[in-house]
């Protein structure tokens, strides 16, 4: 007989030490966790979103408790029952003798072990389940879509809201039963209820009953899973080129899945019947039948149908199901109402009708005058050099584009706010006092017309019509302080008792009449009050900073500003939204407001193609001043929310934008009062809404395939498009979309729109041009210009190659590439010119490579068909492409002072707006000048045809006079 193995025990002193260490660890962890939760709550209380905090917290706690109790309780109960009904007498065998020492070790601690197992599994299940809090909320508050899927005729809300929750519950059910089964088997084996190597009976009756029940429940859940699998076919990828139930799924798998439901139910009944018959032959036979059935009718038969019926004529067999996928995908991505325009149909081969284009240019008063010469992705260093003012300020890596109407004239501007740049503080400025109580905010709004430069001796600089400190210019800013922005990384302690001397740096020396530095005390609504000792102690623990308790900068009126990035604030206030990665500032009623777009998404829209959101929304600029979206799987997206964050007090406001989105309506039920109705949006705010870039990039990716109507062409990938690489950078990343102010074919005036060129699949030729309107009257309308498929229009990459290979451009590029400078190509814009064709325009900058170097505009390049213009100004480049006088609509983009000397780039007084492409087309002098230009051009053409040199000379002289008259009427300087 074996001698029982003694288990070593700890001394009383060791137990006390270990106990004290454990208590301290638990205490510190609890204090840290509770402090973080409390600080989090204070932020929600300050912003007015406590309902979001409590709803999310309560839902997480509920799911944690239910899943934890279910998992820990069921598994613990199964183990306890297995132990409770263990055999009191076990046959003597080598197997049982080896197990005896484990039984002796477990017996004295069985309660502790059982509790530990229940707690660990419960915590694991609880933490896993609470992460699915949105699944539960959307299921509980689901809203009908009002339209059904193509296969089952069920409202789409079932697939978007109900189906994911059922799958979640089913998954937890399987996990609970599987772990309960494993726990029961181990317990029965250790305590003799299951004897694998002992001769005689292998299972006790009690063990057989318990295992039969658990296996029966497991197989019953499998029957439910088979039933849900039928609906899951709408997410099948068997069709290879599309998502959704394919021919094989509908004709060879749907019925077998239904059959397997009944087979699994019979198998479950066989296990339950074993409670009475006590014979595992019947349930074993039923289980074998289930396995064989699932392999034959659930795997083999569909594979045979796919291989021998579908693949030989897949384009025909799958056609009806591809039609479903096309319709559903367009619906899910908001692409079911697109205006397709067959464009430039008169072009043949490489030939372009320059006369038609010239006629369009003569009449153009909308697109060419607004052609953007300033690239917001290039000019950060220029803005920094000319408008930074102090090292504590900075501009984001990528500037923004927005439009403003000044004196009745709308144009797009490159805009930015002069933020506090936490990373730019020097070592002496980086003390706790300076970093958190002195340098607390940025100051200023900077704007320059996107279609203008100030010509100087070294190159063209932005014409800062709004800027400086204090802010002055054509855009009126009443509150210019920036306490919330993209560059502010730290928290700030602000506020002081009445009458106390201000300590926050506000304006530098020379900005006031007295000439000294001006300080300020924050008086906005933002921030969490920390006047009490308890609050100060809370934040001292949270930030691990003793100065909250010791510094005299912290007083009874103090507030802490934290979570200061606009995007982070919106994500926190609305955790159910995906937020666009490019917030932009706008001046609304004199205040600087951050504008953001919120998306509702789903990965469960039937028949819609799934994609990785982060990958689809990425381009060559992602990560350079913009934030990448999470790489989550989605197949439904809506720009349902417009959000704003006040740059001074941090107020977050969420507006319902898409009033027909069931996903947003569902969240509005779950979080009542959090989102303002669309009617609360005033006109001035709406005038600054932009069509969001990330949504546009996702949609253009979908459109590369789903613009095709014919299912056979779709399957064969005929007429497929692709997004061109960004040709202005050495990268294989997608070309970013560009905001432009231009007149679309068929429109009466220019609108602010987001645009992108699309190439033919695996070719560099242009196939389409897509634009999405941001105009309040036509917001969201998407237009696609389809170019003739038999005409090799140049794509962006080919145009860029032609630019760089041009015999006039190439020597300059070589000259610009030196030890002291480098050439930088700006955004390659694609502009529709009436119905004549597409014009490419790109600015060429030269940037000094030394410290403090910044890009200046040197040249403008233009391409139309196979013609290239390369000149100092857009006007001259257009003349090179289309002939003398063609560039007249671009007059005014090169701003010079009357005497021809370089204009100041930092005006001390607001710079008046130059005329917008020559003023209003209805002005009599301007209209007469345009008529004279047309007449002169006709006379030039007639003289060329007749060969009359005298008439040609006179016509050219008249043309020059007409051009000068136009420039004078437009308010532009005379041509040099």
């Amino acid at each position: 007989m074996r001698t029982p193995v003694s288990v070593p025990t700890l001394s009383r002193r060791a137990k006390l030490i270990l106990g004290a260490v454990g208590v301290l660890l638990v205490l510190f962890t609890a204090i840290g966790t509770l402090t973080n939760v409390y600080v989090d709550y204070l932020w929600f209380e300050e912003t007015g979103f406590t309902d979001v905090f409590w709803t999310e917290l309560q839902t997480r706690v509920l799911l944690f408790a239910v899943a934890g109790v279910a998992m820990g309780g069921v598994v613990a109960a199964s183990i306890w029952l297995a132990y409770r009904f263990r055999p009191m007498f076990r046959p003597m065998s080598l197997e049982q003798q080896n197990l005896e020492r484990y039984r002796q070790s477990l017996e004295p601690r069985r309660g502790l072990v059982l509790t530990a197992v229940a707690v660990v599994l419960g915590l694991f299940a609880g933490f896993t389940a609470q992460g699915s809090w949105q699944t539960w909320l959307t299921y509980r508050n689901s809203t009908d879509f009002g339209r059904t899927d193509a296969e089952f005729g069920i409202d789409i809300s079932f697939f978007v809201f109900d189906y994911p929750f059922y799958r979640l519950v089913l998954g937890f059910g399987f996990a609970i039963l599987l772990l309960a089964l494993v726990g029961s088997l181990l317990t029965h084996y250790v305590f003799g209820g299951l004897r694998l190597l002992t001769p005689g009976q292998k299972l006790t009756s009690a063990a057989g009953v318990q295992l039969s029940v658990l296996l029966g429940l497991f197989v019953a859940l499998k029957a439910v899973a088979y039933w849900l699998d039928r609906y899951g076919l709408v997410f099948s990828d068997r069709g290879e080129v599309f998502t959704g139930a394919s021919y094989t799924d509908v004709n060879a798998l749907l019925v077998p899945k239904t059959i397997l439901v009944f087979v699994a139910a019979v198998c479950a009944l066989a296990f339950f019947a074993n409670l009475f018959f006590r014979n595992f032959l019947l349930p074993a036979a039923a289980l074998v039948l289930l396995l064989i059935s699932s392999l034959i009718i659930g795997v083999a038969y569909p594979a045979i149908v796919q291989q021998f019926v579908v693949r030989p004529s897949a384009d025909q067999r799958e056609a009806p199901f591809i039609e479903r996928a096309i319709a559903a995908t367009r619906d899910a991505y908001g692409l079911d109402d697109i205006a397709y325009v067959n464009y430039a149909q008169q072009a043949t081969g490489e030939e372009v009708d320059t006369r038609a284009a010239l006629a369009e240019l003569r009449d153009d008063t909308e697109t060419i005058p607004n052609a953007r010469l300033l690239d917001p992705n290039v000019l950060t260093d220029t803005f920094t050099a000319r408008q930074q003012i102090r090292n504590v300020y900075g501009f984001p890596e990528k500037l923004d584009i927005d439009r403003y109407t000044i004196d009745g004239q709308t144009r797009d501007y490159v805009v930015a706010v002069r933020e506090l740049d936490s990373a730019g503080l020097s070592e002496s400025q980086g003390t706790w006092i300076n970093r958190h109580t002195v340098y607390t905010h940025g100051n200023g709004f900077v704007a320059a017309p996107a279609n203008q430069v100030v010509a100087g001796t070294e190159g063209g600089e932005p014409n800062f019509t709004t800027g400086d400190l204090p802010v002055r210019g054509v855009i009126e800013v009443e509150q210019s302080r920036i306490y919330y922005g993209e560059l502010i990384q730290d928290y700030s302690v602000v506020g002081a008792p009445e009458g106390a001397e201000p300590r926050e740096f506000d304006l530098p020396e020379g900005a006031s009449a007295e000439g000294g530095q001006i300080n300020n005390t924050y008086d906005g609504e933002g921030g969490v009050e920390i006047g009490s000792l308890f609050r100060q102690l809370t934040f001292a623990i949270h930030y691990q900073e003793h100065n909250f308790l010791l510094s005299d900068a912290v007083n009874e009126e103090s507030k802490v500003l934290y979570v200061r990035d606009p995007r982070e604030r919106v994500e926190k206030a609305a955790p159910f939204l995906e937020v666009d990665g490019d917030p932009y500032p706008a001046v609304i009623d004199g205040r600087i407001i951050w504008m953001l777009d919120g998306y509702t998404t789903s990965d469960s829209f039937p028949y819609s193609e799934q994609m990785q959101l982060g990958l689809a929304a990425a381009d060559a600029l992602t990560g350079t001043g913009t934030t990448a979206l999470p790489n989550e799987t989605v197949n439904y997206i809506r720009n349902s929310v417009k959000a704003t964050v006040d740059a001074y007090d941090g107020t977050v406001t969420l507006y319902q934008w898409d009033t027909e989105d069931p996903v947003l309506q569902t969240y509005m039920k779950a979080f009542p009062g959090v989102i303002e109705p669309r009617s609360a949006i005033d006109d001035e705010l709406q005038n600054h809404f932009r069509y969001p870039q990330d949504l546009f990039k996702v949609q253009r990716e979908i459109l590369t395939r789903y613009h095709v109507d014919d299912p056979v062409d779709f399957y064969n990938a005929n007429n497929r498009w692709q997004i061109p690489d960004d040709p202005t950078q050495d990268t294989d990343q997608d070309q970013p979309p560009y905001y432009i102010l231009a007149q679309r074919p068929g429109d009466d005036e220019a609108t602010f729109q987001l645009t992108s060129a699309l190439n033919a699949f695996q070719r560099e030729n242009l196939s389409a041009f897509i634009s999405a309107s941001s105009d309040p009257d036509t917001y969201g309308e998407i237009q696609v210009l389809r170019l003739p498929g038999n005409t090799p229009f140049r794509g962006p990459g080919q145009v860029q190659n032609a630019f760089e290979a041009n015999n006039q451009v190439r020597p300059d590029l070589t000259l610009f590439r030196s030890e002291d400078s480098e050439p930088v190509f700006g955004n390659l814009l694609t502009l529709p010119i009436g119905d004549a064709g597409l014009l490419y325009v790109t600015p060429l900058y030269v940037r000094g490579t030394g410290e403090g170097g910044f890009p200046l505009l040197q040249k403008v390049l233009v391409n139309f068909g196979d013609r290239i213009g390369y000149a100092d100004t857009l006007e001259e480049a257009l003349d090179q492409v289309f002939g003398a006088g063609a560039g007249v609509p671009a007059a005014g983009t090169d701003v010079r002072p009357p005497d021809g000397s370089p204009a100041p780039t930092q005006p001390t007084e607001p710079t008046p707006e130059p005329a917008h492409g020559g003023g209003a087309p209805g002005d009599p002098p301007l209209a007469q000048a345009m008529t004279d230009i047309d007449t002169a051009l006709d006379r030039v053409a007639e003289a060329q045809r007749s060969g009359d040199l005298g008439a040609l000379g006179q016509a050219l002289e008249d043309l020059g006079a007409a051009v000068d008259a136009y420039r004078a009427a437009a308010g532009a300087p005379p041509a040099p």
Side-chain angles (χ1 to χ4, degrees):
M1 186 173 179
R2 292 178 178 270
T3 303
V5 179
S6 60
V7 179
T9 58
L10 295 173
S11 66
R12 185 171 180 273
R13 181 180 181 182
K15 290 180 180 179
L16 288 175
I17 293 175
L18 289 176
V21 170
V23 169
L24 289 176
L25 287 176
V26 171
L27 184 62
F28 283 131
T29 302
I31 290 175
T33 301
L34 291 175
T35 299
N36 292 339
V37 171
Y38 181 56
V39 169
D40 212 28
Y41 169 76
L42 291 176
W43 184 89
F44 281 98
E45 184 181 47
E46 175 242 321
T47 54
F49 288 94
T50 52
D51 286 346
V52 174
F53 176 86
W54 288 118
T55 299
E56 180 179 347
L57 181 62
Q58 291 168 3
T59 306
R60 287 181 182 273
V61 170
L62 173 65
L63 293 179
F64 182 93
V66 171
V69 170
M71 174 68 78
V74 172
V75 174
S78 298
I79 294 174
W80 182 83
L81 287 173
Y83 174 80
R84 171 68 178 79
F85 293 101
R86 69 192 184 284
M88 301 306 297
F89 300 99
R90 293 171 287 274
M92 294 302 298
S93 67
L94 181 60
E95 178 186 31
Q96 296 303 313
Q97 291 178 9
N98 290 334
L99 291 172
E100 184 63 30
R101 56 178 176 175
Y102 296 107
R103 289 193 283 264
Q104 291 183 3
S105 298
L106 289 173
E107 279 286 358
R109 304 174 179 84
R110 63 180 182 274
L112 179 63
V113 171
L114 186 62
T115 302
V117 169
V119 170
V120 171
L121 292 179
L123 289 175
F124 178 78
F127 279 118
T128 303
Q130 60 89 28
S132 300
W133 64 275
Q134 292 187 42
T135 303
W136 161 248
L137 278 182
T138 54
Y139 167 75
R140 184 181 178 188
N141 299 280
S142 65
T143 303
D144 287 346
F145 274 68
R147 50 193 186 276
T148 59
D149 80 291
E151 180 61 34
F152 298 99
I154 301 175
D155 190 272
I156 291 174
S157 62
F158 168 81
F159 299 95
V160 175
F161 303 127
D162 300 347
Y163 181 84
F165 178 72
Y166 295 150
R167 278 294 181 188
L168 176 67
V169 174
L170 194 64
F172 268 95
F174 277 125
I176 290 171
L177 289 176
L178 182 62
L179 290 174
L181 184 62
V182 171
S184 299
L185 284 172
L186 288 175
T187 304
H188 281 301
Y189 178 70
V190 170
F191 289 96
L194 173 62
R195 306 154 192 159
L196 300 178
L197 304 177
T198 301
Q201 186 180 7
K202 301 299 183 181
L203 270 177
T204 63
S205 297
V209 168
Q210 185 176 14
L211 296 179
S212 294
V213 171
L214 291 175
L215 288 171
L217 291 173
F218 190 89
V219 177
L221 278 185
K222 187 61 180 175
V224 177
Y226 279 132
W227 182 259
L228 283 179
D229 286 346
R230 297 167 65 253
Y231 300 108
L233 293 177
V234 299
F235 309 118
S236 170
D237 59 359
R238 191 188 296 270
E240 298 178 353
V241 299
F242 67 97
T243 300
S246 64
Y247 178 94
T248 300
D249 293 321
V250 173
N251 295 282
L253 194 56
L254 183 57
V255 173
K257 287 288 186 183
T258 306
I259 294 174
L260 288 173
V261 170
F262 294 101
V263 175
V266 169
C267 185
L269 291 175
F271 276 105
F272 293 137
N274 196 47
L275 299 177
F276 306 99
F277 297 105
R278 307 295 174 87
N279 189 331
F280 271 93
L281 290 178
L282 179 61
L287 187 59
V288 170
L289 174 63
L290 177 61
L291 293 175
I292 294 176
S293 300
S294 64
L295 290 175
I296 294 177
I297 67 175
V299 178
Y301 176 59
I304 292 172
V305 171
Q306 181 72 18
Q307 182 66 33
F308 298 103
V309 177
V310 176
R311 285 189 177 174
S313 56
D315 56 345
Q316 300 297 325
R317 295 283 187 181
E318 301 286 21
F321 307 100
I322 292 176
E323 287 182 343
R324 294 178 178 181
I326 292 174
T329 301
R330 290 176 177 176
D331 183 11
Y333 289 94
L335 297 171
D336 52 350
D337 188 20
I338 292 180
Y340 289 95
V341 177
N342 293 325
Y343 189 67
Q345 298 299 306
Q346 73 280 4
T348 57
E350 280 289 339
E351 298 296 324
V352 293
D353 190 344
T354 54
R355 288 186 62 84
L358 181 55
E360 296 283 1
L361 282 172
R362 292 180 194 171
D363 296 333
D364 181 80
T365 59
E366 301 289 343
T367 299
I368 295 301
N370 290 299
R372 177 150 55 83
L373 302 179
L374 301 185
D375 185 352
N377 311 305
V378 172
L379 292 176
T380 293
D381 290 341
T382 306
F383 270 55
T384 301
R386 294 304 188 215
Q387 288 288 332
Q388 183 186 23
I389 309 297
R390 288 292 183 271
N391 72 293
V392 299
Y393 297 134
F395 295 99
E397 191 173 359
K398 174 183 174 297
L399 307 178
D400 290 295
I401 291 287
D402 196 11
R403 73 284 198 195
Y404 289 85
T405 300
I406 308 296
D407 296 330
Q409 186 177 30
T410 300
R411 62 174 51 171
D412 51 353
Y413 288 76
V414 176
V415 299
V417 292
R418 190 182 294 105
E419 298 187 45
L420 172 70
D421 185 5
S422 302
L425 297 179
S426 66
E427 184 177 352
S428 62
Q429 293 169 333
T431 64
W432 187 86
I433 289 293
N434 285 333
R435 178 175 288 272
H436 297 288
T437 69
V438 175
Y439 299 110
T440 60
H441 62 282
N443 200 327
F445 182 84
V446 180
N451 65 335
Q452 288 184 353
V453 292
V454 177
T457 57
E458 299 177 351
E461 297 185 5
N463 178 28
F464 294 109
T465 58
T466 301
D468 299 338
L469 275 179
V471 179
R472 46 194 167 185
V474 297
I475 301 174
E476 297 182 2
V477 182
E478 297 175 5
Q479 179 52 269
S480 62
R481 299 182 180 95
I482 313 296
Y483 280 87
Y484 296 86
E486 297 176 284
L487 300 182
I488 305 176
Q489 303 170 357
D490 295 324
Y491 65 87
S492 291
V493 179
V494 297
E498 185 175 354
E501 183 178 351
R503 64 186 309 144
E504 301 174 43
F505 174 76
D506 193 46
L507 292 175
E509 297 86 350
S512 65
E514 294 77 16
Q517 174 180 308
I518 299 177
N519 289 348
N520 178 65
T521 297
Y522 180 73
D523 60 358
E525 297 296 325
V528 173
E529 296 178 356
I530 56 169
S532 67
L533 178 61
F534 176 75
R535 290 277 182 93
Q536 294 168 10
L537 178 62
T538 297
F539 280 90
I541 295 173
H542 179 71
Y543 288 112
Q544 300 180 21
E545 178 54 64
H546 62 271
N547 280 307
F548 278 98
L549 299 172
L550 303 179
S551 174
D552 59 1
V554 181
N555 53 73
E556 65 273 11
E557 299 296 329
S558 291
K559 294 181 177 180
V560 178
L561 310 181
Y562 56 105
V563 188
R564 303 174 73 179
D565 184 280
R567 189 169 183 270
E568 292 180 5
R569 290 179 75 81
V570 174
E571 287 179 327
K572 199 173 185 67
F576 48 86
L577 295 177
E578 298 291 350
V579 182
D580 190 89
D582 187 24
Y584 61 98
V587 178
I588 311 293
D589 294 328
R591 298 180 70 90
I592 299 173
I593 304 295
W594 289 101
M595 314 284 284
L596 302 98
D597 290 276
Y599 307 125
T600 50
T601 62
S602 173
D603 61 355
S604 303
F605 196 94
Y607 274 102
S608 176
E609 177 165 318
Q610 293 185 335
M611 61 168 48
Q612 299 301 308
L613 183 60
L615 291 177
D619 60 27
L621 296 178
T622 300
T624 57
T626 62
T627 304
L629 294 183
N631 209 27
E632 299 174 349
T633 300
V634 301
N635 69 352
Y636 173 92
I637 186 170
R638 288 289 187 273
N639 176 209
S640 295
V641 172
K642 296 290 187 180
T644 63
V645 177
D646 191 296
Y648 182 67
D649 62 26
T651 299
V652 179
T653 309
L654 308 174
Y655 298 99
Q656 181 185 18
W657 182 243
D658 189 336
T659 57
E660 299 179 356
D661 177 26
V663 179
L664 180 63
Q665 293 171 10
T666 295
Y667 281 118
M668 291 177 70
K669 292 179 185 177
F671 299 97
V674 169
I675 298 177
E676 299 291 331
R678 179 164 177 160
S679 58
I681 301 174
D682 61 40
D683 291 341
E684 184 172 2
L685 180 62
Q686 186 169 342
N687 287 337
H688 289 278
F689 286 166
R690 305 188 316 190
Y691 197 85
Q693 293 188 71
D694 286 335
L695 173 63
F696 184 82
K697 287 183 281 188
V698 170
Q699 290 177 321
R700 73 174 177 177
E701 176 68 34
I702 289 294
L703 269 181
T704 58
R705 296 177 60 214
Y706 285 88
H707 69 279
V708 179
D709 294 319
D710 184 83
V712 176
D713 287 343
F714 182 93
Y715 184 87
N716 295 325
N718 289 340
N719 197 26
R720 185 174 175 179
W721 301 334
Q722 73 177 25
I723 303 167
D725 296 338
D726 188 350
T728 64
Q729 302 187 45
D730 184 16
T731 179
D732 59 357
Q733 297 295 308
D734 292 344
Q735 183 185 38
Y738 297 122
Y739 289 104
I740 63 174
L741 186 62
Q743 183 176 357
R744 300 201 295 191
D747 289 355
D748 296 328
E749 58 184 5
T751 57
F752 192 65
Q753 53 194 274
L754 185 57
T755 64
S756 176
L758 294 174
N759 284 351
F761 184 59
Q762 294 184 346
R763 296 180 62 200
E764 291 299 316
N765 300 107
L766 191 67
S767 283
F769 177 76
I770 176 176
S771 63
S773 174
S774 296
D775 187 81
D777 296 330
T778 59
Y779 184 96
E781 292 184 5
I782 297 177
Q783 182 188 77
V784 176
L785 305 182
R786 291 191 289 205
L787 301 175
N790 60 346
T791 304
F793 284 90
R794 289 181 177 180
Q798 293 176 326
V799 171
Q800 185 68 24
N801 289 336
F803 283 156
E804 297 185 21
N806 183 271
N807 56 11
Q808 290 184 321
V809 179
R810 191 169 60 251
D812 281 355
L813 293 179
T814 302
L815 177 65
F816 296 153
R817 291 190 180 101
S818 67
E819 293 183 0
D820 301 323
S821 65
E822 61 178 354
V824 178
F825 281 98
N827 36 217
L828 181 57
L829 300 180
T830 309
L831 304 176
I833 305 301
D835 295 321
L838 296 169
L839 180 75
Y840 288 98
V841 177
T842 187
L844 176 60
Y845 302 89
V846 175
R847 174 167 48 203
T849 55
E851 184 178 354
F854 57 90
L856 294 170
L857 180 68
Q858 293 289 338
K859 298 287 184 178
V860 179
L861 295 97
V862 172
N863 171 264
F864 187 82
D866 58 353
R867 300 188 179 190
I868 291 177
Y870 177 66
D872 293 337
T873 66
L874 176 59
E875 180 182 3
E876 295 167 349
L878 289 172
D879 284 345
Q880 291 178 10
V881 172
F882 298 104
V888 169
T893 58
D894 184 27
V895 182
R896 302 171 188 267
D899 62 357
S901 60
T905 58
Q906 263 185 274
T908 56
E909 297 295 336
T911 304
E913 289 270 24
H916 179 50
D923 293 345
L926 186 60
Q928 182 61 48
M930 293 176 66
T931 301
D932 292 344
I933 290 174
D934 291 342
T935 302
L937 286 170
D938 290 338
R939 290 174 56 197
V940 168
E942 182 179 352
Q944 288 174 333
R945 287 194 298 270
S946 65
D948 188 342
L949 297 181
L952 178 60
Q954 183 61 46
L956 290 174
E957 184 178 343
D958 292 343
L959 177 61
V963 170
D964 288 341
Y966 182 95
R967 295 179 66 90

